[in-house]
Amino acid sequence: MLDCAIIGGGPAGLTAGLYATRGGLKNVVMYEQGMPGGQITGSSEIENYPGVTGEISGMDLMMPWPEQCMRFGLKHEMVAVTNVARTPEGTFRITREDGKIDEALSVIVCTGSTPKRAGFKGEDLLFGRGVSTCATCDGFFYKGKEVAVIGGGDTALEEALYLSKICSKVYLVHRRDRFRAAPSTIERVSNTANIEQVLDAVPDEVYGDAMGVTGLRVAFRDGTTRDLEIPGVFVFVGHNVNNAVLKQEDGSWLCDVNDWGQVIVDLSMRTSTPGVFAAGDLRIEAPKQVVCAAGDGATAALQVITYVDEKQNA
Ligand code: FAD
Ligand code: NAP
């Protein structure tokens, strides 16, 4: 029986693992389907993690986190969890993709979110052949070339800035005439000569040949269109909540979620089901910041320590 099962190994899961193990829990497993680090590892630059100055990539930021946790005894199982269910005794059954089932006294769900597709013609067909959701991973392929970025949030604008340093030109395509990104980021974009803002425009179709993308057609509000002759399209239009592990066989949720599928928690990261905690981007009102996800993970783990102690001494 595990003291605590942590599902997901991004900033929230890793910090939960650090605090749970350093706080004295002996048998804590973090289930992370890939390499620990989470979605920030796909970001080219993070400049708002407190105490970390200078230009640093998400990958560099997250690199030391797993080692720090493992030193205190956190175990990492590199496997996806498919379901978490409550037993009649009030413990939790963790069903893994490899068919194994583990049991835990408590669970912290930290499965985060994944990038959305914008839904325009050709996007899925050419995904990985010119259409991407990761500038750090794919930007280099377009060194000295022109690319388009879709979206008007922090991610789109920050990644447009990153790409502007590699590519000869970046078309920033946004469906409105106002960005929702932070004002300082908007200012940086406006001051970058090789970023052209293509506003009030939606991607209509990305097209290509056997080699990959050759162009993007955008449609404006007034019904006109424009063809951008580019080999790369980067889509940054938000994220889906990774809540599938909470879905039960009968269609109900293990704990309460809101209309958007975000997990409802209190200030202690407690969900509506005793013993189940949620931390990071999948919770309600998540600021979607590394520092906040890490803070959530710490909060949840501190609660779990008390919860497990009470269970074991009941
Ligand atoms: P995630 O980081 O999403 O981690 C969740 C983890 O759970 C993933 O590793 C996933 O593989 C794993 N997982 C999911 N489902 C399962 C399952 N069923 N079984 C096992 N494992 C599973 N924030 C900032 O503070 N500053 C920034 O500058 C910044 N820039 C960003 C740039 C980009 C391009 C992006 C995409 C995000 C950026 N963010 C930034 C936001 C930040 O990355 C997130 O807020 C943060 O990573 C959320 O952490 P998390 O642990 O909640 O979730
Ligand atoms: P986001 O804030 O949800 O922005 C998504 C953008 O994509 C919006 O501009 C939206 O347009 C547009 N969009 C959505 N669907 C579209 C579609 N189908 N076609 C075309 N455009 C579409 O997502 P995000 O930028 O990934 O940010 C997610 C969260 O992480 C935010 O809370 C953000 O603040 C945070 N974040 C923070 C930082 C930072 O602090 N440095 C960096 C990255 C991310 P509308 O504006 O019209 O809705």
Side-chain angles (χ1 to χ4, degrees), residues 146-151 157 160-161 164 167-174 179 188-199 201 218 220 226-230:
E146 297 192 349
V147 296
V149 163
I150 315 297
L157 270 66
L161 284 165
S164 72
C167 306
S168 58
K169 180 162 183 173
V170 178
Y171 297 94
L172 179 57
V173 180
H174 181 39
F179 296 113
R188 279 169 69 199
V189 164
S190 301
N191 292 336
T192 303
N194 66 338
I195 298 180
E196 180 183 333
Q197 299 176 19
V198 183
L199 302 178
V218 297
F220 295 91
R226 177 178 171 190
D227 281 83
L228 307 173
E229 284 181 27
I230 45 164

PDB file of all heavy atoms in Angstrom, residues 146-151 157 160-161 164 167-174 179 188-199 201 218 220 226-230:
ATOM      1  N   GLU A 146      10.704  32.078 -43.001  1.00  0.00           N
ATOM      2  CA  GLU A 146       9.521  32.756 -42.450  1.00  0.00           C
ATOM      3  C   GLU A 146       8.555  31.718 -41.878  1.00  0.00           C
ATOM      4  O   GLU A 146       8.390  30.635 -42.457  1.00  0.00           O
ATOM      5  CB  GLU A 146       8.828  33.573 -43.554  1.00  0.00           C
ATOM      6  CG  GLU A 146       9.708  34.690 -44.095  1.00  0.00           C
ATOM      7  CD  GLU A 146       8.940  35.684 -44.968  1.00  0.00           C
ATOM      8  OE1 GLU A 146       7.773  35.396 -45.323  1.00  0.00           O
ATOM      9  OE2 GLU A 146       9.512  36.752 -45.273  1.00  0.00           O
ATOM     10  N   VAL A 147       7.940  32.050 -40.757  1.00  0.00           N
ATOM     11  CA  VAL A 147       6.965  31.136 -40.136  1.00  0.00           C
ATOM     12  C   VAL A 147       5.745  31.935 -39.672  1.00  0.00           C
ATOM     13  O   VAL A 147       5.803  33.167 -39.593  1.00  0.00           O
ATOM     14  CB  VAL A 147       7.555  30.380 -38.915  1.00  0.00           C
ATOM     15  CG1 VAL A 147       8.703  29.466 -39.303  1.00  0.00           C
ATOM     16  CG2 VAL A 147       7.982  31.358 -37.817  1.00  0.00           C
ATOM     17  N   ALA A 148       4.682  31.198 -39.342  1.00  0.00           N
ATOM     18  CA  ALA A 148       3.495  31.842 -38.759  1.00  0.00           C
ATOM     19  C   ALA A 148       3.257  31.274 -37.366  1.00  0.00           C
ATOM     20  O   ALA A 148       3.535  30.097 -37.107  1.00  0.00           O
ATOM     21  CB  ALA A 148       2.267  31.578 -39.624  1.00  0.00           C
ATOM     22  N   VAL A 149       2.765  32.139 -36.486  1.00  0.00           N
ATOM     23  CA  VAL A 149       2.355  31.722 -35.145  1.00  0.00           C
ATOM     24  C   VAL A 149       0.868  32.040 -35.027  1.00  0.00           C
ATOM     25  O   VAL A 149       0.437  33.137 -35.382  1.00  0.00           O
ATOM     26  CB  VAL A 149       3.168  32.494 -34.071  1.00  0.00           C
ATOM     27  CG1 VAL A 149       2.503  32.393 -32.704  1.00  0.00           C
ATOM     28  CG2 VAL A 149       4.599  31.974 -34.003  1.00  0.00           C
ATOM     29  N   ILE A 150       0.095  31.076 -34.514  1.00  0.00           N
ATOM     30  CA  ILE A 150      -1.347  31.286 -34.352  1.00  0.00           C
ATOM     31  C   ILE A 150      -1.671  31.463 -32.873  1.00  0.00           C
ATOM     32  O   ILE A 150      -1.282  30.614 -32.056  1.00  0.00           O
ATOM     33  CB  ILE A 150      -2.168  30.061 -34.874  1.00  0.00           C
ATOM     34  CG1 ILE A 150      -1.657  29.559 -36.231  1.00  0.00           C
ATOM     35  CG2 ILE A 150      -3.665  30.389 -34.903  1.00  0.00           C
ATOM     36  CD1 ILE A 150      -1.765  30.524 -37.357  1.00  0.00           C
ATOM     37  N   GLY A 151      -2.395  32.516 -32.525  1.00  0.00           N
ATOM     38  CA  GLY A 151      -2.828  32.728 -31.142  1.00  0.00           C
ATOM     39  C   GLY A 151      -2.491  34.118 -30.654  1.00  0.00           C
ATOM     40  O   GLY A 151      -1.648  34.810 -31.248  1.00  0.00           O
ATOM     41  N   LEU A 157       2.676  34.773 -28.001  1.00  0.00           N
ATOM     42  CA  LEU A 157       3.545  35.954 -28.136  1.00  0.00           C
ATOM     43  C   LEU A 157       4.983  35.654 -27.693  1.00  0.00           C
ATOM     44  O   LEU A 157       5.951  36.083 -28.342  1.00  0.00           O
ATOM     45  CB  LEU A 157       2.964  37.142 -27.367  1.00  0.00           C
ATOM     46  CG  LEU A 157       2.026  38.017 -28.216  1.00  0.00           C
ATOM     47  CD1 LEU A 157       0.763  37.258 -28.616  1.00  0.00           C
ATOM     48  CD2 LEU A 157       1.672  39.304 -27.519  1.00  0.00           C
ATOM     49  N   ALA A 160       6.505  33.588 -30.364  1.00  0.00           N
ATOM     50  CA  ALA A 160       6.770  34.431 -31.551  1.00  0.00           C
ATOM     51  C   ALA A 160       8.083  35.185 -31.350  1.00  0.00           C
ATOM     52  O   ALA A 160       8.900  35.293 -32.275  1.00  0.00           O
ATOM     53  CB  ALA A 160       5.611  35.397 -31.777  1.00  0.00           C
ATOM     54  N   LEU A 161       8.295  35.682 -30.127  1.00  0.00           N
ATOM     55  CA  LEU A 161       9.549  36.397 -29.827  1.00  0.00           C
ATOM     56  C   LEU A 161      10.745  35.457 -29.976  1.00  0.00           C
ATOM     57  O   LEU A 161      11.781  35.816 -30.538  1.00  0.00           O
ATOM     58  CB  LEU A 161       9.501  36.963 -28.405  1.00  0.00           C
ATOM     59  CG  LEU A 161       8.642  38.217 -28.237  1.00  0.00           C
ATOM     60  CD1 LEU A 161       8.364  38.484 -26.770  1.00  0.00           C
ATOM     61  CD2 LEU A 161       9.327  39.430 -28.868  1.00  0.00           C
ATOM     62  N   SER A 164      11.383  34.783 -33.547  1.00  0.00           N
ATOM     63  CA  SER A 164      11.883  35.961 -34.274  1.00  0.00           C
ATOM     64  C   SER A 164      13.407  36.048 -34.224  1.00  0.00           C
ATOM     65  O   SER A 164      14.026  36.711 -35.053  1.00  0.00           O
ATOM     66  CB  SER A 164      11.266  37.246 -33.713  1.00  0.00           C
ATOM     67  OG  SER A 164      11.805  37.530 -32.437  1.00  0.00           O
ATOM     68  N   CYS A 167      14.176  32.928 -36.946  1.00  0.00           N
ATOM     69  CA  CYS A 167      13.577  32.988 -38.284  1.00  0.00           C
ATOM     70  C   CYS A 167      13.738  34.394 -38.877  1.00  0.00           C
ATOM     71  O   CYS A 167      13.906  35.370 -38.135  1.00  0.00           O
ATOM     72  CB  CYS A 167      12.092  32.638 -38.212  1.00  0.00           C
ATOM     73  SG  CYS A 167      11.811  31.036 -37.406  1.00  0.00           S
ATOM     74  N   SER A 168      13.634  34.480 -40.196  1.00  0.00           N
ATOM     75  CA  SER A 168      13.782  35.792 -40.826  1.00  0.00           C
ATOM     76  C   SER A 168      12.545  36.656 -40.561  1.00  0.00           C
ATOM     77  O   SER A 168      12.646  37.877 -40.464  1.00  0.00           O
ATOM     78  CB  SER A 168      14.015  35.636 -42.330  1.00  0.00           C
ATOM     79  OG  SER A 168      12.939  34.918 -42.900  1.00  0.00           O
ATOM     80  N   LYS A 169      11.370  36.000 -40.442  1.00  0.00           N
ATOM     81  CA  LYS A 169      10.147  36.768 -40.202  1.00  0.00           C
ATOM     82  C   LYS A 169       9.109  35.875 -39.540  1.00  0.00           C
ATOM     83  O   LYS A 169       9.026  34.674 -39.832  1.00  0.00           O
ATOM     84  CB  LYS A 169       9.593  37.299 -41.535  1.00  0.00           C
ATOM     85  CG  LYS A 169       8.332  38.108 -41.364  1.00  0.00           C
ATOM     86  CD  LYS A 169       8.045  38.958 -42.584  1.00  0.00           C
ATOM     87  CE  LYS A 169       6.815  39.804 -42.334  1.00  0.00           C
ATOM     88  NZ  LYS A 169       6.560  40.767 -43.393  1.00  0.00           N
ATOM     89  N   VAL A 170       8.316  36.469 -38.648  1.00  0.00           N
ATOM     90  CA  VAL A 170       7.230  35.736 -37.984  1.00  0.00           C
ATOM     91  C   VAL A 170       5.929  36.484 -38.227  1.00  0.00           C
ATOM     92  O   VAL A 170       5.827  37.674 -37.908  1.00  0.00           O
ATOM     93  CB  VAL A 170       7.477  35.625 -36.452  1.00  0.00           C
ATOM     94  CG1 VAL A 170       6.313  34.901 -35.778  1.00  0.00           C
ATOM     95  CG2 VAL A 170       8.798  34.915 -36.154  1.00  0.00           C
ATOM     96  N   TYR A 171       4.964  35.799 -38.828  1.00  0.00           N
ATOM     97  CA  TYR A 171       3.611  36.356 -38.950  1.00  0.00           C
ATOM     98  C   TYR A 171       2.828  35.907 -37.724  1.00  0.00           C
ATOM     99  O   TYR A 171       2.664  34.699 -37.506  1.00  0.00           O
ATOM    100  CB  TYR A 171       2.921  35.832 -40.212  1.00  0.00           C
ATOM    101  CG  TYR A 171       3.606  36.237 -41.492  1.00  0.00           C
ATOM    102  CD1 TYR A 171       4.545  35.395 -42.101  1.00  0.00           C
ATOM    103  CD2 TYR A 171       3.318  37.455 -42.099  1.00  0.00           C
ATOM    104  CE1 TYR A 171       5.173  35.755 -43.280  1.00  0.00           C
ATOM    105  CE2 TYR A 171       3.950  37.825 -43.283  1.00  0.00           C
ATOM    106  CZ  TYR A 171       4.876  36.977 -43.863  1.00  0.00           C
ATOM    107  OH  TYR A 171       5.502  37.337 -45.030  1.00  0.00           O
ATOM    108  N   LEU A 172       2.376  36.854 -36.933  1.00  0.00           N
ATOM    109  CA  LEU A 172       1.608  36.526 -35.732  1.00  0.00           C
ATOM    110  C   LEU A 172       0.125  36.690 -36.067  1.00  0.00           C
ATOM    111  O   LEU A 172      -0.378  37.806 -36.184  1.00  0.00           O
ATOM    112  CB  LEU A 172       2.030  37.451 -34.579  1.00  0.00           C
ATOM    113  CG  LEU A 172       1.313  37.280 -33.248  1.00  0.00           C
ATOM    114  CD1 LEU A 172       1.437  35.848 -32.714  1.00  0.00           C
ATOM    115  CD2 LEU A 172       1.879  38.268 -32.217  1.00  0.00           C
ATOM    116  N   VAL A 173      -0.546  35.551 -36.244  1.00  0.00           N
ATOM    117  CA  VAL A 173      -1.934  35.561 -36.725  1.00  0.00           C
ATOM    118  C   VAL A 173      -2.876  35.426 -35.525  1.00  0.00           C
ATOM    119  O   VAL A 173      -2.841  34.429 -34.804  1.00  0.00           O
ATOM    120  CB  VAL A 173      -2.164  34.383 -37.711  1.00  0.00           C
ATOM    121  CG1 VAL A 173      -3.601  34.373 -38.215  1.00  0.00           C
ATOM    122  CG2 VAL A 173      -1.174  34.457 -38.877  1.00  0.00           C
ATOM    123  N   HIS A 174      -3.720  36.439 -35.341  1.00  0.00           N
ATOM    124  CA  HIS A 174      -4.641  36.413 -34.192  1.00  0.00           C
ATOM    125  C   HIS A 174      -6.052  36.770 -34.651  1.00  0.00           C
ATOM    126  O   HIS A 174      -6.228  37.659 -35.481  1.00  0.00           O
ATOM    127  CB  HIS A 174      -4.145  37.383 -33.116  1.00  0.00           C
ATOM    128  CG  HIS A 174      -5.004  37.407 -31.901  1.00  0.00           C
ATOM    129  ND1 HIS A 174      -5.575  36.264 -31.360  1.00  0.00           N
ATOM    130  CD2 HIS A 174      -5.409  38.439 -31.111  1.00  0.00           C
ATOM    131  CE1 HIS A 174      -6.281  36.592 -30.293  1.00  0.00           C
ATOM    132  NE2 HIS A 174      -6.201  37.905 -30.128  1.00  0.00           N
ATOM    133  N   PHE A 179      -4.520  41.460 -28.110  1.00  0.00           N
ATOM    134  CA  PHE A 179      -3.921  40.254 -27.541  1.00  0.00           C
ATOM    135  C   PHE A 179      -4.326  40.116 -26.071  1.00  0.00           C
ATOM    136  O   PHE A 179      -4.553  41.126 -25.404  1.00  0.00           O
ATOM    137  CB  PHE A 179      -2.390  40.333 -27.625  1.00  0.00           C
ATOM    138  CG  PHE A 179      -1.875  40.355 -29.033  1.00  0.00           C
ATOM    139  CD1 PHE A 179      -1.242  41.488 -29.538  1.00  0.00           C
ATOM    140  CD2 PHE A 179      -2.011  39.247 -29.853  1.00  0.00           C
ATOM    141  CE1 PHE A 179      -0.760  41.524 -30.836  1.00  0.00           C
ATOM    142  CE2 PHE A 179      -1.524  39.270 -31.160  1.00  0.00           C
ATOM    143  CZ  PHE A 179      -0.901  40.411 -31.646  1.00  0.00           C
ATOM    144  N   ARG A 188       6.974  44.054 -26.165  1.00  0.00           N
ATOM    145  CA  ARG A 188       8.177  43.469 -26.777  1.00  0.00           C
ATOM    146  C   ARG A 188       7.879  43.025 -28.211  1.00  0.00           C
ATOM    147  O   ARG A 188       8.691  43.214 -29.124  1.00  0.00           O
ATOM    148  CB  ARG A 188       8.679  42.279 -25.954  1.00  0.00           C
ATOM    149  CG  ARG A 188       9.497  42.698 -24.733  1.00  0.00           C
ATOM    150  CD  ARG A 188       9.744  41.514 -23.826  1.00  0.00           C
ATOM    151  NE  ARG A 188      10.639  40.522 -24.387  1.00  0.00           N
ATOM    152  CZ  ARG A 188      10.718  39.259 -23.953  1.00  0.00           C
ATOM    153  NH1 ARG A 188       9.955  38.850 -22.970  1.00  0.00           N
ATOM    154  NH2 ARG A 188      11.568  38.420 -24.497  1.00  0.00           N
ATOM    155  N   VAL A 189       6.712  42.434 -28.392  1.00  0.00           N
ATOM    156  CA  VAL A 189       6.331  41.977 -29.734  1.00  0.00           C
ATOM    157  C   VAL A 189       6.207  43.172 -30.678  1.00  0.00           C
ATOM    158  O   VAL A 189       6.714  43.149 -31.807  1.00  0.00           O
ATOM    159  CB  VAL A 189       5.005  41.167 -29.675  1.00  0.00           C
ATOM    160  CG1 VAL A 189       4.385  41.013 -31.054  1.00  0.00           C
ATOM    161  CG2 VAL A 189       5.252  39.803 -29.045  1.00  0.00           C
ATOM    162  N   SER A 190       5.553  44.225 -30.186  1.00  0.00           N
ATOM    163  CA  SER A 190       5.348  45.419 -31.031  1.00  0.00           C
ATOM    164  C   SER A 190       6.679  46.057 -31.413  1.00  0.00           C
ATOM    165  O   SER A 190       6.801  46.666 -32.487  1.00  0.00           O
ATOM    166  CB  SER A 190       4.490  46.449 -30.296  1.00  0.00           C
ATOM    167  OG  SER A 190       3.253  45.870 -29.986  1.00  0.00           O
ATOM    168  N   ASN A 191       7.674  45.907 -30.551  1.00  0.00           N
ATOM    169  CA  ASN A 191       8.989  46.504 -30.817  1.00  0.00           C
ATOM    170  C   ASN A 191       9.925  45.584 -31.597  1.00  0.00           C
ATOM    171  O   ASN A 191      11.100  45.891 -31.766  1.00  0.00           O
ATOM    172  CB  ASN A 191       9.662  46.891 -29.494  1.00  0.00           C
ATOM    173  CG  ASN A 191       8.931  48.034 -28.821  1.00  0.00           C
ATOM    174  OD1 ASN A 191       8.243  48.801 -29.486  1.00  0.00           O
ATOM    175  ND2 ASN A 191       9.043  48.134 -27.505  1.00  0.00           N
ATOM    176  N   THR A 192       9.415  44.442 -32.013  1.00  0.00           N
ATOM    177  CA  THR A 192      10.265  43.502 -32.750  1.00  0.00           C
ATOM    178  C   THR A 192       9.997  43.644 -34.245  1.00  0.00           C
ATOM    179  O   THR A 192       8.884  43.358 -34.724  1.00  0.00           O
ATOM    180  CB  THR A 192       9.999  42.048 -32.267  1.00  0.00           C
ATOM    181  OG1 THR A 192      10.225  42.009 -30.862  1.00  0.00           O
ATOM    182  CG2 THR A 192      10.919  41.058 -32.962  1.00  0.00           C
ATOM    183  N   ALA A 193      11.019  44.089 -34.941  1.00  0.00           N
ATOM    184  CA  ALA A 193      10.829  44.479 -36.347  1.00  0.00           C
ATOM    185  C   ALA A 193      10.384  43.323 -37.236  1.00  0.00           C
ATOM    186  O   ALA A 193       9.607  43.529 -38.173  1.00  0.00           O
ATOM    187  CB  ALA A 193      12.137  45.077 -36.871  1.00  0.00           C
ATOM    188  N   ASN A 194      10.861  42.117 -36.964  1.00  0.00           N
ATOM    189  CA  ASN A 194      10.518  41.031 -37.895  1.00  0.00           C
ATOM    190  C   ASN A 194       9.306  40.202 -37.457  1.00  0.00           C
ATOM    191  O   ASN A 194       9.126  39.075 -37.905  1.00  0.00           O
ATOM    192  CB  ASN A 194      11.742  40.137 -38.157  1.00  0.00           C
ATOM    193  CG  ASN A 194      12.185  39.373 -36.931  1.00  0.00           C
ATOM    194  OD1 ASN A 194      11.873  39.773 -35.804  1.00  0.00           O
ATOM    195  ND2 ASN A 194      12.895  38.279 -37.124  1.00  0.00           N
ATOM    196  N   ILE A 195       8.490  40.774 -36.554  1.00  0.00           N
ATOM    197  CA  ILE A 195       7.187  40.141 -36.270  1.00  0.00           C
ATOM    198  C   ILE A 195       6.103  41.011 -36.907  1.00  0.00           C
ATOM    199  O   ILE A 195       5.952  42.186 -36.557  1.00  0.00           O
ATOM    200  CB  ILE A 195       6.904  39.999 -34.757  1.00  0.00           C
ATOM    201  CG1 ILE A 195       7.939  39.091 -34.095  1.00  0.00           C
ATOM    202  CG2 ILE A 195       5.494  39.428 -34.542  1.00  0.00           C
ATOM    203  CD1 ILE A 195       7.735  38.897 -32.597  1.00  0.00           C
ATOM    204  N   GLU A 196       5.374  40.428 -37.849  1.00  0.00           N
ATOM    205  CA  GLU A 196       4.248  41.157 -38.462  1.00  0.00           C
ATOM    206  C   GLU A 196       2.956  40.663 -37.848  1.00  0.00           C
ATOM    207  O   GLU A 196       2.662  39.458 -37.868  1.00  0.00           O
ATOM    208  CB  GLU A 196       4.222  40.936 -39.979  1.00  0.00           C
ATOM    209  CG  GLU A 196       3.049  41.689 -40.625  1.00  0.00           C
ATOM    210  CD  GLU A 196       2.924  41.463 -42.127  1.00  0.00           C
ATOM    211  OE1 GLU A 196       3.943  41.169 -42.801  1.00  0.00           O
ATOM    212  OE2 GLU A 196       1.786  41.568 -42.634  1.00  0.00           O
ATOM    213  N   GLN A 197       2.196  41.566 -37.271  1.00  0.00           N
ATOM    214  CA  GLN A 197       0.926  41.194 -36.663  1.00  0.00           C
ATOM    215  C   GLN A 197      -0.157  41.121 -37.736  1.00  0.00           C
ATOM    216  O   GLN A 197      -0.419  42.101 -38.423  1.00  0.00           O
ATOM    217  CB  GLN A 197       0.552  42.196 -35.580  1.00  0.00           C
ATOM    218  CG  GLN A 197       1.582  42.245 -34.464  1.00  0.00           C
ATOM    219  CD  GLN A 197       1.271  43.302 -33.417  1.00  0.00           C
ATOM    220  OE1 GLN A 197       0.143  43.776 -33.314  1.00  0.00           O
ATOM    221  NE2 GLN A 197       2.270  43.668 -32.636  1.00  0.00           N
ATOM    222  N   VAL A 198      -0.754  39.942 -37.862  1.00  0.00           N
ATOM    223  CA  VAL A 198      -1.844  39.742 -38.827  1.00  0.00           C
ATOM    224  C   VAL A 198      -3.109  39.586 -37.991  1.00  0.00           C
ATOM    225  O   VAL A 198      -3.399  38.496 -37.490  1.00  0.00           O
ATOM    226  CB  VAL A 198      -1.572  38.505 -39.721  1.00  0.00           C
ATOM    227  CG1 VAL A 198      -2.657  38.341 -40.764  1.00  0.00           C
ATOM    228  CG2 VAL A 198      -0.189  38.601 -40.377  1.00  0.00           C
ATOM    229  N   LEU A 199      -3.837  40.690 -37.831  1.00  0.00           N
ATOM    230  CA  LEU A 199      -4.931  40.705 -36.858  1.00  0.00           C
ATOM    231  C   LEU A 199      -6.304  40.551 -37.518  1.00  0.00           C
ATOM    232  O   LEU A 199      -6.433  40.698 -38.731  1.00  0.00           O
ATOM    233  CB  LEU A 199      -4.873  41.994 -36.047  1.00  0.00           C
ATOM    234  CG  LEU A 199      -3.550  42.209 -35.294  1.00  0.00           C
ATOM    235  CD1 LEU A 199      -3.552  43.532 -34.551  1.00  0.00           C
ATOM    236  CD2 LEU A 199      -3.268  41.060 -34.333  1.00  0.00           C
ATOM    237  N   ALA A 201      -7.763  37.910 -38.045  1.00  0.00           N
ATOM    238  CA  ALA A 201      -7.558  36.896 -39.087  1.00  0.00           C
ATOM    239  C   ALA A 201      -7.521  35.494 -38.466  1.00  0.00           C
ATOM    240  O   ALA A 201      -6.885  35.289 -37.434  1.00  0.00           O
ATOM    241  CB  ALA A 201      -6.240  37.151 -39.805  1.00  0.00           C
ATOM    242  N   VAL A 218      -4.925  32.672 -44.639  1.00  0.00           N
ATOM    243  CA  VAL A 218      -5.677  33.237 -43.522  1.00  0.00           C
ATOM    244  C   VAL A 218      -6.867  34.013 -44.079  1.00  0.00           C
ATOM    245  O   VAL A 218      -6.789  34.592 -45.169  1.00  0.00           O
ATOM    246  CB  VAL A 218      -4.797  34.144 -42.619  1.00  0.00           C
ATOM    247  CG1 VAL A 218      -3.686  33.350 -41.968  1.00  0.00           C
ATOM    248  CG2 VAL A 218      -4.256  35.333 -43.381  1.00  0.00           C
ATOM    249  N   PHE A 220      -9.745  36.985 -43.326  1.00  0.00           N
ATOM    250  CA  PHE A 220     -10.029  38.161 -42.495  1.00  0.00           C
ATOM    251  C   PHE A 220     -11.535  38.307 -42.285  1.00  0.00           C
ATOM    252  O   PHE A 220     -12.341  37.761 -43.040  1.00  0.00           O
ATOM    253  CB  PHE A 220      -9.452  39.423 -43.156  1.00  0.00           C
ATOM    254  CG  PHE A 220      -7.948  39.401 -43.228  1.00  0.00           C
ATOM    255  CD1 PHE A 220      -7.305  38.875 -44.343  1.00  0.00           C
ATOM    256  CD2 PHE A 220      -7.186  39.870 -42.170  1.00  0.00           C
ATOM    257  CE1 PHE A 220      -5.920  38.835 -44.414  1.00  0.00           C
ATOM    258  CE2 PHE A 220      -5.797  39.824 -42.234  1.00  0.00           C
ATOM    259  CZ  PHE A 220      -5.166  39.301 -43.349  1.00  0.00           C
ATOM    260  N   ARG A 226      -5.533  35.921 -47.416  1.00  0.00           N
ATOM    261  CA  ARG A 226      -4.146  36.225 -47.767  1.00  0.00           C
ATOM    262  C   ARG A 226      -3.352  34.924 -47.655  1.00  0.00           C
ATOM    263  O   ARG A 226      -3.530  34.166 -46.691  1.00  0.00           O
ATOM    264  CB  ARG A 226      -3.592  37.262 -46.797  1.00  0.00           C
ATOM    265  CG  ARG A 226      -2.128  37.596 -47.020  1.00  0.00           C
ATOM    266  CD  ARG A 226      -1.664  38.680 -46.043  1.00  0.00           C
ATOM    267  NE  ARG A 226      -0.223  38.854 -46.095  1.00  0.00           N
ATOM    268  CZ  ARG A 226       0.474  39.581 -45.232  1.00  0.00           C
ATOM    269  NH1 ARG A 226      -0.151  40.227 -44.240  1.00  0.00           N
ATOM    270  NH2 ARG A 226       1.790  39.683 -45.320  1.00  0.00           N
ATOM    271  N   ASP A 227      -2.507  34.674 -48.611  1.00  0.00           N
ATOM    272  CA  ASP A 227      -1.664  33.481 -48.571  1.00  0.00           C
ATOM    273  C   ASP A 227      -0.267  33.849 -48.075  1.00  0.00           C
ATOM    274  O   ASP A 227       0.371  34.733 -48.645  1.00  0.00           O
ATOM    275  CB  ASP A 227      -1.579  32.827 -49.950  1.00  0.00           C
ATOM    276  CG  ASP A 227      -2.829  32.021 -50.243  1.00  0.00           C
ATOM    277  OD1 ASP A 227      -3.837  32.617 -50.685  1.00  0.00           O
ATOM    278  OD2 ASP A 227      -2.818  30.810 -49.966  1.00  0.00           O
ATOM    279  N   LEU A 228       0.168  33.180 -47.019  1.00  0.00           N
ATOM    280  CA  LEU A 228       1.517  33.375 -46.483  1.00  0.00           C
ATOM    281  C   LEU A 228       2.362  32.198 -46.964  1.00  0.00           C
ATOM    282  O   LEU A 228       2.042  31.044 -46.655  1.00  0.00           O
ATOM    283  CB  LEU A 228       1.488  33.420 -44.950  1.00  0.00           C
ATOM    284  CG  LEU A 228       0.512  34.414 -44.304  1.00  0.00           C
ATOM    285  CD1 LEU A 228       0.462  34.214 -42.789  1.00  0.00           C
ATOM    286  CD2 LEU A 228       0.929  35.845 -44.641  1.00  0.00           C
ATOM    287  N   GLU A 229       3.398  32.482 -47.712  1.00  0.00           N
ATOM    288  CA  GLU A 229       4.241  31.395 -48.243  1.00  0.00           C
ATOM    289  C   GLU A 229       5.297  31.043 -47.208  1.00  0.00           C
ATOM    290  O   GLU A 229       6.378  31.647 -47.144  1.00  0.00           O
ATOM    291  CB  GLU A 229       4.885  31.833 -49.551  1.00  0.00           C
ATOM    292  CG  GLU A 229       3.908  31.799 -50.703  1.00  0.00           C
ATOM    293  CD  GLU A 229       4.557  32.207 -52.018  1.00  0.00           C
ATOM    294  OE1 GLU A 229       5.781  32.017 -52.154  1.00  0.00           O
ATOM    295  OE2 GLU A 229       3.830  32.722 -52.877  1.00  0.00           O
ATOM    296  N   ILE A 230       4.961  30.078 -46.374  1.00  0.00           N
ATOM    297  CA  ILE A 230       5.837  29.748 -45.239  1.00  0.00           C
ATOM    298  C   ILE A 230       5.928  28.227 -45.085  1.00  0.00           C
ATOM    299  O   ILE A 230       4.971  27.514 -45.385  1.00  0.00           O
ATOM    300  CB  ILE A 230       5.278  30.347 -43.926  1.00  0.00           C
ATOM    301  CG1 ILE A 230       3.773  30.087 -43.848  1.00  0.00           C
ATOM    302  CG2 ILE A 230       5.590  31.831 -43.835  1.00  0.00           C
ATOM    303  CD1 ILE A 230       3.204  30.264 -42.502  1.00  0.00           C
TER     304      ILE A 230
END
